[in-house]
Amino acid sequence: MDHKTNTTLLFSLLFFITYLITIATSKDLCNQNDKNTLLKIKKSLNNPYHLASWHPETDCCSWYCLECGDATVNHRVISLTIFAGQISGQLPPEVGDLPYLQSLMFHRITNITGQIPSTITKLKYLRSLRLSWLNLSGPVPEFLSQLMNLEYLSLSFNQLSGSIPSSLALLPKLSYVDLSRNKLTGTIPESFGSFPAELAYLILSHNQLSGSIPKSLGNLDFNRIDFSRNKFTGDASMLFGANKTTFSIDLSRNIFQFDLSRVVLHESLGVLDLNHNGITGSIPVQWTEYSLQILNVSYNRLCGPIPTGGSLQRFDSYTYFHNKCLCGAPLDSSCK
Ligand SMILES: *[C@@H]1O[C@H](CO)[C@@H](O)[C@H](O)[C@H]1NC(C)=O
Ligand SMILES: *[C@@H]1O[C@H](CO)[C@@H](O)[C@H](O)[C@H]1NC(C)=O
Ligand SMILES: *[C@@H]1O[C@H](CO)[C@@H](O)[C@H](O)[C@H]1NC(C)=O
Ligand SMILES: *[C@@H]1O[C@H](CO)[C@@H](O)[C@H](O)[C@H]1NC(C)=O
């Protein structure tokens, strides 16, 4: 052996010893209870390839689809995000045994069926719950109102049925609610007019909700409202007002019936879609002062001239067509 080979061997040996020492002294950050729970979750989901990194011999804080907190929470698992995997099964009830979870998300997994497990009420620190684009059935559970730290709730794109629990309005921090694209029936609970925090997003589109909107919703200042494609009736004018800061209001494809003539818009409104309802009256002249990005009042029972001298002629006839007797540009029918 020449000198060079000897040196290489020596360095390799040193490197190997350092490596062994590193392995022996490195301590898993992962909490053992969390690790056991995660392995149960993996098993309950039939050991999907998506969770191949969840290997019992490695530190669970290094696994994909989750996040451990810092030393202040002893590196407990604070977030679990299972997204777009080839996974079949039900939501594992064991998720309730990750007591430090702040965020729980299962999203875009076609074959997740069954109901939302009540064990999630054990998650006292949960701030964000997103169970969307799954195939969950059963109700929007009443027990969600036990999640006192919840700020964000999305259960959209499932097969959930039954009515919306009024107790959701008990949640002191809830500001985002998306229950769209389910099979929900019944009305919007009266209690929704009195959320303790500012309810900024209320997205209920593509359900079979009915009845009139509680008057009390007029007390709220939303960022975005989407009630489209339901069976809501009656008045929705309380959602508007000079003092609001709502950016987007979509009430399209319902059976709303109110007089548009006295509906006052506000500066920050960017999107207003009222198509396919039974809305009467005329378009207020005041509306010329606002610079909406999207406007659709088609398929209603509006009458009278489309006010000129502002921004309302920027839209094409598809914004206004199929009304009772709207007239003037951009429609072809001129006003007599
Ligand atoms: C979903 O389940 C069905 C029937 O159990 C199966 O045929 C299909 O491959 C599954 N799809 C996915 C994406 O796992
Ligand atoms: C729910 O399952 C059906 C088939 O049973 C499938 O066609 C549909 O895409 C699934 N929904 C979602 C949101 O993945
Ligand atoms: C709008 O706010 C002003 C002052 O904040 C108040 O005086 C007025 O009554 C409010 N108008 C409406 C319609 O609520
Ligand atoms: C308004 O809604 C109607 C009905 O859905 C649609 O046909 C039309 O294209 C929409 N108008 C615009 C400007 O998008």
Side-chain angles (χ1 to χ4, degrees):
M1 259 190 244
D2 63 13
H3 178 71
K4 198 174 163 206
T5 315
N6 263 337
T7 314
T8 309
L9 265 176
L10 186 65
F11 271 105
S12 300
L13 191 65
L14 272 177
F15 181 81
F16 186 62
I17 289 167
T18 315
Y19 172 74
L20 284 181
I21 289 170
T22 310
I23 283 192
T25 55
S26 79
K27 203 174 154 302
D28 278 8
L29 291 177
C30 182
N31 174 280
Q32 193 58 44
N33 292 333
D34 285 353
K35 185 183 235 180
N36 292 343
T37 299
L38 290 163
L39 290 170
K40 279 185 205 157
I41 290 173
K42 181 180 176 183
K43 186 162 176 241
S44 158
L45 293 170
N46 306 309
N47 297 313
Y49 177 72
H50 197 75
L51 302 179
S53 68
W54 292 20
H55 192 274
E57 304 298 309
T58 56
D59 181 359
C60 81
C61 291
S62 72
W63 295 355
Y64 290 159
C65 307
L66 61 86
E67 192 190 333
C68 291
D70 58 19
T72 60
V73 293
N74 295 316
H75 306 286
R76 300 298 296 256
V77 173
I78 57 166
S79 137
L80 182 63
T81 301
I82 300 190
F83 171 62
Q86 299 274 323
I87 299 174
S88 297
Q90 305 214 343
L91 288 176
E94 293 87 352
V95 293
D97 298 324
L98 294 170
Y100 285 78
L101 269 194
Q102 294 171 23
S103 168
L104 175 62
M105 163 161 138
F106 279 75
H107 178 59
R108 271 189 189 269
I109 310 170
T110 324
N111 277 358
I112 296 279
T113 56
Q115 304 202 1
I116 300 170
S118 62
T119 52
I120 60 172
T121 57
K122 292 191 273 179
L123 302 174
K124 295 301 173 214
Y125 299 108
L126 202 65
R127 287 171 18 197
S128 168
L129 178 63
R130 181 167 187 188
L131 307 172
S132 51
W133 293 74
L134 310 172
N135 255 319
L136 297 176
S137 55
V140 174
E142 191 81 44
F143 58 67
L144 293 179
S145 62
Q146 294 172 36
L147 295 168
M148 297 312 269
N149 280 301
L150 204 63
E151 295 163 15
Y152 177 105
L153 173 66
S154 173
L155 304 175
S156 68
F157 282 93
N158 281 293
Q159 317 279 348
L160 300 173
S161 55
S163 55
I164 302 173
S166 67
S167 57
L168 285 183
L170 296 171
L171 290 173
K173 297 176 181 173
L174 196 61
S175 71
Y176 186 108
V177 174
D178 183 353
L179 305 175
S180 63
R181 308 241 180 196
N182 280 290
K183 297 173 172 171
L184 301 176
T185 52
T187 58
I188 298 179
E190 189 66 44
S191 62
F192 271 36
S194 51
F195 272 89
E198 186 92 331
L199 184 67
Y201 295 81
L202 183 56
I203 304 167
L204 303 174
S205 63
H206 289 83
N207 278 292
Q208 291 148 35
L209 297 165
S210 59
S212 50
I213 308 279
K215 278 259 174 307
S216 55
L217 286 197
N219 304 332
L220 303 184
D221 187 15
F222 295 96
N223 189 310
R224 179 174 161 214
I225 301 171
D226 188 349
F227 295 164
S228 64
R229 293 185 190 252
N230 280 287
K231 296 173 183 165
F232 289 121
T233 52
D235 190 13
S237 63
M238 77 294 266
L239 301 174
F240 299 87
N243 287 355
K244 306 261 184 204
T245 60
T246 312
F247 172 71
S248 170
I249 301 180
D250 189 346
L251 306 177
S252 64
R253 294 184 188 259
N254 279 284
I255 322 168
F256 285 118
Q257 216 172 348
F258 57 93
D259 185 349
L260 200 64
S261 312
R262 278 191 298 272
V263 167
V264 176
L265 301 189
H266 54 274
E267 204 66 57
S268 54
L269 191 65
V271 177
L272 177 59
D273 196 341
L274 302 175
N275 87 70
H276 281 96
N277 279 288
I279 299 169
T280 56
S282 54
I283 299 176
V285 174
Q286 179 251 0
W287 285 26
T288 57
E289 296 162 27
Y290 296 102
S291 45
L292 290 157
Q293 294 152 34
I294 294 176
L295 173 66
N296 198 335
V297 296
S298 68
Y299 292 91
N300 278 291
R301 294 197 214 128
L302 298 171
C303 247
I306 296 167
T308 55
S311 57
L312 294 176
Q313 274 67 37
R314 277 193 299 113
F315 303 104
D316 64 20
S317 61
Y318 295 104
T319 286
Y320 302 105
F321 73 156
H322 282 278
N323 270 286
K324 193 170 157 208
C325 45
L326 271 186
C327 60
L331 290 174
D332 288 338
S333 57
S334 57
C335 303
K336 304 249 157 53

